Amino acid sequence: MKDIIVQKFGGTSVADTDKIKNVARAVIKEKNNGNNVVVVVSAMGHTTDVLVKLAKEITPNPSLREMDMLLSTGEGVSIALLAMALQAQGCNAVSMNAMQVGIITEKIHSKARILEIKTEKIQEHLDKGEVVVIAGFQGVTDDFEITTLGRGGSDTSAVALAGALKAKRCDIYTDVEGVYTTDPRIVPRATRLEQISYDEMIELANGGAGVIHPRAVEAATQHNMPVRVRSSFKLDNLGTLILGVDEMELQRPVTGVAADTSRLRVVVCDVIDNPGTAAALFDGLANENISVDMIIQSYARKALNTNDIAFTINKEDLTKTKEVISGLKQELGYSNIYIDDKIAKVSIVGAGMINRPGIAAKMFRTLANIGINIKMISTSEVKISCLVDESKANEAVETLHSVFGLDSDEIAEVKGDLPNV
Amino acid sequence: MKDIIVQKFGGTSVADTDKIKNVARAVIKEKNNGNNVVVVVSAMGHTTDVLVKLAKEITPNPSLREMDMLLSTGEGVSIALLAMALQAQGCNAVSMNAMQVGIITEKIHSKARILEIKTEKIQEHLDKGEVVVIAGFQGVTDDFEITTLGRGGSDTSAVALAGALKAKRCDIYTDVEGVYTTDPRIVPRATRLEQISYDEMIELANGGAGVIHPRAVEAATQHNMPVRVRSSFKLDNLGTLILGVDEMELQRPVTGVAADTSRLRVVVCDVIDNPGTAAALFDGLANENISVDMIIQSYARKALNTNDIAFTINKEDLTKTKEVISGLKQELGYSNIYIDDKIAKVSIVGAGMINRPGIAAKMFRTLANIGINIKMISTSEVKISCLVDESKANEAVETLHSVFGLDSDEIAEVKGDLPNV
């Protein structure tokens, strides 16, 4: 039995027919290594944007079901073209959409989760020596409705397929050379990591490193599937291997530094300090599907029986958040709401920090030494995050990267924007 | 039980989002008449051309399976957008592709024939008061391969769906106002026909009238399904009703005149006059899927024991035809091949001509009177065709149109090119 390798190529890697021919070469190279190959592709380049624009011309509020029908056509184009390119290069190949494979999801449009993947048909094609090219991002319900998986969907499709097929590895091809200790656009001496653990990768991804979507890393964790993030333009570069912490060859106290400027801080001032007020607030936000990140509740001012509750949200959720808080005016009894949208969350991530108590102190001291004020702090087992002024974010990242010994001897080569996942 | 009306809108009718909104209005108008409505749409405007161009950039010979996968995405876009437009105008609607409906075809890519249409899911949606928007042109095999129906596919999808659903009528919306006695671009006094029989329509369509594909008319004949060809821009215009000859209110000796310049004449000279030589020639052509039209075999020249065989083919089949004839040199023993590509087939069509023996003679005399030489003649029960010089085609059509009393009192309004079917 040959090993199965699942390869995933994103929209930028299949943006035009020349790039699709390049992808075919990368697929054939892997097949020539003696493996069975399953390829997952996204829609070409800006296809999704074009389709969304058409829908908006029709109506500002298209139904999610019809949006999924519309958007799923994008991958139909890229899988067919890649199968043709493989055949033109002498490699037997066949394209399959999610309905043909049986990538079964929840009955939720625009952000369904995968429930089950049927592998029989894929296996039949592999047994005939064919490369199977599968549409990422899309799924189908058990009553034959087309769904899509939402952001990071194609990465998740690839990792879930690798898990279902018991693949040896899932390779996520992208236009960067792997996962770096920090964003090379900010710190040119960022170091490419050879290995990183699932937990570290999730924290770095949530912290703004857009190489792979956190949902896909969560799927990899579930299946304990090794995932390699690598360049679709430099095929000899092995990129970064994401794997279980137990399988890592080396654990560093700090693996990476990230800055996230996508969020803003909301401070609800002078909230009545009763049991249940915080619960009422965060229940209300959760009901509106608003994801809350750092939370700080100040010590109650005994005399006034009030405190302040501060938290961070995605910038795009601001309007909904204000509505929720206004709706709870009676229960919370707050004086006013203060919005701070010029903030950045700077995080250090490392699976090894749990056993090294001095890491947090070293981070705070480093920021203090360069005059950066810390507005909020949050920690997890593998991450310490500090909220700072947005204008100080790059300086904080650079200094932390250097202080924690992550600077490379070489300058990283950076091509354009980081890829969308 | 409400009646079901199937409406079909071609690529030009859904070429942009404004046109799609217009189509939605035409659908709602029909629904407001008290009918259940099923809509069949083609891909938007030039989508298919764009997709074919992408495939050709990948490889000059893409596999037919992958071409079907690629091209079927076009209708996925238009059905979703039309369903959105209907919903935005307050009409419950749902889109379905061929896989979701179960439009089962032969296992032949790029020109499959429909074997069976499952109606349960469509009926469920209709019972909920929804308009069902279905992708034309595409099908699926019973083992879940995507197929396409070839030229005229969306018309055929619509008529076959109407048949399976026992619809009251199938309306083919297009950018002309109906079927005319002849091409209004050639004869401005062409008359729109209120009714035409299936046989007449097939002969007119084969004769070059591109309003509806002959395959779709054949499907209508099978189901005895009334088909209305009408304008998607003038919704009050009832267009032309195509129906069985027995249901026609009025039978005319001549219903229409058509000219077809898509063919050329091949003359194989001095073929040995043995039993079986003609069969060998036309078997050879049929094996290469070359469709032969008019055939004339001259009287044998007794002294030489040879004769000439002339026939017409599609211009695009010339290379293959020459190969077939060269391959049969031994059996046919011909002297040379003569190609005449400056010809036109001019036909008069009418279900009533079978009982009126003078029609053919009147046609030949009319052409002789204006000095047009007839190179070949062929007849069917409802058609008489004469091969003439291409340069004389329009004059022949105009004169025949007038002589057979088809001229209208009004000048037909002609918009741009005739639609592609």
Side-chain angles (χ1 to χ4, degrees):
Chain A
M1 272 279 285
K2 286 182 177 181
D3 284 326
I4 296 173
I5 302 288
V6 175
Q7 301 183 310
K8 180 260 174 177
F9 295 88
T12 49
S13 301
V14 293
D16 58 43
T17 47
D18 281 335
K19 287 186 175 167
I20 290 174
K21 290 178 194 174
N22 276 334
V23 167
R25 279 184 276 275
V27 173
I28 290 169
K29 186 178 150 89
E30 191 64 68
K31 187 153 172 63
N32 289 345
N33 289 342
N35 296 306
N36 274 327
V37 183
V38 171
V39 191
V40 175
V41 285
S42 306
M44 292 170 74
H46 298 290
T47 305
T48 304
D49 299 339
V50 171
L51 293 172
V52 169
K53 185 168 169 290
L54 281 174
K56 295 289 176 189
E57 283 176 23
I58 294 279
T59 167
N61 296 306
S63 84
L64 296 178
R65 180 195 186 277
E66 299 303 334
M67 276 308 286
D68 281 355
M69 175 69 88
L70 181 68
L71 295 182
S72 68
T73 62
E75 288 79 25
V77 173
S78 50
I79 56 174
L81 293 177
L82 179 54
M84 289 175 192
L86 285 164
Q87 290 164 356
Q89 292 179 36
C91 174
N92 290 332
V94 64
S95 68
M96 298 181 81
N97 63 26
M99 221 175 242
Q100 290 174 311
V101 172
I103 299 179
I104 312 297
T105 72
E106 304 168 318
K107 289 186 219 293
I108 293 174
H109 287 290
S110 88
K111 51 180 179 185
R113 285 179 172 268
I114 295 172
L115 299 175
E116 186 199 350
I117 295 181
K118 301 195 192 294
T119 56
E120 300 79 14
K121 287 200 173 182
I122 300 173
Q123 198 64 57
E124 275 173 33
H125 286 296
L126 292 177
D127 291 346
K128 287 192 274 184
E130 292 168 345
V131 167
V132 186
V133 183
I134 297 176
F137 182 65
Q138 56 181 248
V140 62
T141 67
D142 55 14
D143 57 353
F144 244 50
E145 292 285 296
I146 292 173
T147 55
T148 62
L149 309 182
R151 286 179 65 87
S154 290
D155 286 352
T156 309
S157 303
V159 175
L161 273 162
L165 289 163
K166 304 192 194 317
K168 185 181 172 193
R169 202 177 66 239
C170 180
D171 284 359
I172 306 285
Y173 285 81
T174 176
D175 54 3
V176 294
E177 292 184 33
V179 180
Y180 281 79
T181 47
T182 194
D183 186 338
R185 291 171 305 181
I186 300 173
V187 183
R189 291 202 180 280
T191 308
R192 180 172 58 79
L193 295 161
E194 292 196 4
Q195 297 189 333
I196 187 170
S197 71
Y198 298 128
D199 288 348
E200 291 172 321
M201 190 65 239
I202 287 173
E203 294 290 6
L204 271 186
N206 277 326
V211 169
I212 181 171
H213 198 273
R215 273 178 67 189
V217 186
E218 282 166 23
T221 312
Q222 277 170 31
H223 294 287
N224 202 29
M225 176 59 56
V227 174
R228 198 179 275 288
V229 174
R230 58 196 301 183
S231 164
S232 52
F233 304 107
K234 293 191 175 179
L235 298 182
D236 294 330
N237 189 327
L238 285 180
T240 300
L241 189 63
I242 313 172
L243 73 180
V245 68
D246 297 341
E247 283 122 55
M248 285 181 68
E249 286 159 15
L250 174 78
Q251 286 183 30
R252 293 141 304 207
V254 175
T255 297
V257 183
D260 178 7
T261 56
S262 70
R263 302 181 79 82
L264 55 74
R265 181 167 68 143
V266 179
V267 186
V268 189
C269 302
D270 306 314
V271 173
I272 303 168
D273 185 33
N274 281 346
T277 44
L281 174 59
F282 294 109
D283 273 354
L285 294 170
N287 288 342
E288 289 299 313
N289 221 0
I290 297 164
S291 153
V292 172
D293 192 320
M294 307 167 97
I295 300 175
I296 289 184
Q297 181 165 326
S298 67
Y299 286 111
R301 285 169 285 251
K302 284 275 160 61
L304 299 168
N305 196 31
T306 63
N307 59 30
D308 300 336
I309 300 177
F311 53 91
T312 59
I313 55 166
N314 267 324
K315 283 178 177 166
E316 62 206 30
D317 286 334
L318 179 58
T319 310
K320 273 198 292 179
T321 300
K322 284 180 172 172
E323 285 169 12
V324 168
I325 299 173
S326 303
L328 294 168
K329 174 74 183 164
Q330 196 74 27
E331 272 173 280
L332 303 179
Y334 57 88
S335 61
N336 63 315
I337 305 170
Y338 168 74
I339 307 295
D340 184 2
D341 61 357
K342 295 275 182 258
I343 53 153
K345 184 173 70 171
V346 174
S347 308
I348 59 171
V349 172
M353 67 170 60
I354 193 164
N355 302 318
R356 292 182 176 81
I359 302 292
K362 187 171 177 181
M363 180 181 189
F364 305 151
R365 200 181 323 115
T366 301
L367 294 176
N369 284 345
I370 54 174
I372 295 176
N373 186 34
I374 300 173
K375 300 180 170 203
M376 292 170 90
I377 296 169
S378 73
T379 60
S380 77
E381 292 204 350
V382 298
K383 182 172 77 164
I384 304 166
S385 299
C386 296
L387 206 67
V388 302
D389 266 348
E390 193 175 7
S391 63
K392 306 281 188 179
N394 288 0
E395 189 187 352
V397 169
E398 277 178 286
T399 310
L400 291 167
H401 195 267
S402 178
V403 163
F404 284 104
L406 300 174
D407 284 356
S408 165
D409 295 337
E410 292 169 15
I411 304 287
E413 198 181 322
V414 182
K415 293 204 201 76
D417 295 337
L418 282 180
N420 51 347
V421 180
Chain B
M1 273 279 285
K2 287 183 176 181
D3 284 326
I4 295 174
I5 302 288
V6 175
Q7 301 183 309
K8 180 260 173 176
F9 295 89
T12 49
S13 301
V14 293
D16 58 45
T17 48
D18 281 336
K19 287 188 175 165
I20 289 173
K21 290 177 193 174
N22 276 334
V23 166
R25 280 185 274 275
V27 173
I28 290 168
K29 187 178 149 87
E30 190 63 68
K31 186 154 172 64
N32 288 346
N33 289 342
N35 295 307
N36 274 328
V37 183
V38 171
V39 191
V40 175
V41 284
S42 307
M44 293 171 73
H46 298 289
T47 306
T48 305
D49 298 338
V50 171
L51 293 172
V52 169
K53 184 167 169 289
L54 282 174
K56 294 290 177 188
E57 283 176 23
I58 295 279
T59 167
N61 296 306
S63 84
L64 296 178
R65 181 194 185 278
E66 299 303 334
M67 277 307 287
D68 281 356
M69 175 69 87
L70 181 69
L71 296 183
S72 68
T73 62
E75 288 79 24
V77 173
S78 50
I79 57 174
L81 293 176
L82 179 54
M84 288 176 193
L86 286 163
Q87 291 165 355
Q89 292 179 36
C91 174
N92 290 333
V94 63
S95 68
M96 298 181 81
N97 63 26
M99 221 175 240
Q100 290 174 312
V101 171
I103 300 180
I104 313 296
T105 72
E106 306 168 314
K107 288 185 219 297
I108 292 172
H109 287 292
S110 88
K111 50 180 179 185
R113 282 177 173 269
I114 294 172
L115 299 175
E116 186 197 350
I117 295 181
K118 301 194 192 295
T119 56
E120 299 80 15
K121 289 200 171 184
I122 300 172
Q123 197 63 57
E124 276 174 32
H125 286 297
L126 292 176
D127 290 346
K128 287 192 275 183
E130 293 168 343
V131 167
V132 186
V133 183
I134 297 176
F137 182 64
Q138 55 181 248
V140 62
T141 67
D142 54 15
D143 57 353
F144 244 50
E145 292 284 297
I146 293 173
T147 54
T148 62
L149 309 182
R151 286 179 65 88
S154 289
D155 286 351
T156 310
S157 302
V159 175
L161 273 161
L165 289 162
K166 305 193 194 315
K168 184 182 172 194
R169 201 177 67 239
C170 181
D171 284 359
I172 306 285
Y173 285 82
T174 175
D175 55 2
V176 294
E177 291 183 33
V179 180
Y180 281 78
T181 48
T182 194
D183 186 339
R185 292 171 304 180
I186 299 172
V187 183
R189 291 204 179 277
T191 308
R192 180 172 58 77
L193 294 161
E194 292 197 4
Q195 297 189 333
I196 187 170
S197 70
Y198 298 127
D199 288 347
E200 290 172 323
M201 189 66 239
I202 287 173
E203 295 290 6
L204 271 187
N206 278 326
V211 169
I212 182 172
H213 197 274
R215 273 178 67 188
V217 186
E218 282 167 23
T221 313
Q222 277 170 31
H223 295 286
N224 201 28
M225 175 58 56
V227 174
R228 199 178 274 290
V229 174
R230 59 196 298 183
S231 165
S232 52
F233 305 105
K234 293 192 176 178
L235 298 182
D236 294 329
N237 189 326
L238 286 181
T240 300
L241 189 62
I242 313 172
L243 72 180
V245 69
D246 296 340
E247 284 122 56
M248 284 181 68
E249 287 160 15
L250 176 77
Q251 287 182 30
R252 294 143 301 209
V254 175
T255 298
V257 183
D260 178 7
T261 55
S262 69
R263 302 181 79 83
L264 55 74
R265 180 168 68 142
V266 178
V267 186
V268 188
C269 303
D270 305 313
V271 175
I272 303 168
D273 186 31
N274 280 346
T277 44
L281 173 60
F282 293 108
D283 274 353
L285 294 170
N287 289 341
E288 290 299 312
N289 220 3
I290 297 164
S291 150
V292 172
D293 192 321
M294 307 168 97
I295 299 175
I296 290 185
Q297 181 166 325
S298 67
Y299 287 113
R301 284 169 284 251
K302 284 274 163 61
L304 300 167
N305 196 30
T306 62
N307 60 29
D308 300 336
I309 300 177
F311 53 92
T312 59
I313 56 166
N314 267 324
K315 283 178 178 166
E316 61 207 32
D317 286 333
L318 179 58
T319 309
K320 273 199 292 179
T321 301
K322 282 181 172 172
E323 285 168 12
V324 168
I325 298 173
S326 302
L328 294 169
K329 173 74 183 161
Q330 195 74 27
E331 272 172 279
L332 304 180
Y334 57 88
S335 60
N336 63 315
I337 305 170
Y338 168 75
I339 308 295
D340 184 2
D341 62 356
K342 295 273 181 260
I343 54 153
K345 184 173 70 172
V346 174
S347 307
I348 59 172
V349 172
M353 67 170 62
I354 194 165
N355 302 318
R356 292 182 175 81
I359 301 294
K362 188 170 177 183
M363 180 181 189
F364 306 151
R365 202 181 321 116
T366 301
L367 293 176
N369 285 345
I370 54 174
I372 295 176
N373 186 33
I374 300 173
K375 299 181 172 203
M376 292 170 89
I377 296 169
S378 74
T379 60
S380 76
E381 292 204 349
V382 297
K383 184 172 75 164
I384 304 167
S385 299
C386 296
L387 206 67
V388 303
D389 266 347
E390 192 174 9
S391 62
K392 306 281 188 180
N394 288 1
E395 190 188 350
V397 170
E398 278 178 285
T399 309
L400 292 167
H401 194 267
S402 178
V403 163
F404 284 104
L406 300 174
D407 283 356
S408 165
D409 295 337
E410 292 170 16
I411 304 286
E413 197 180 323
V414 183
K415 292 204 201 75
D417 295 338
L418 282 179
N420 51 345
V421 179

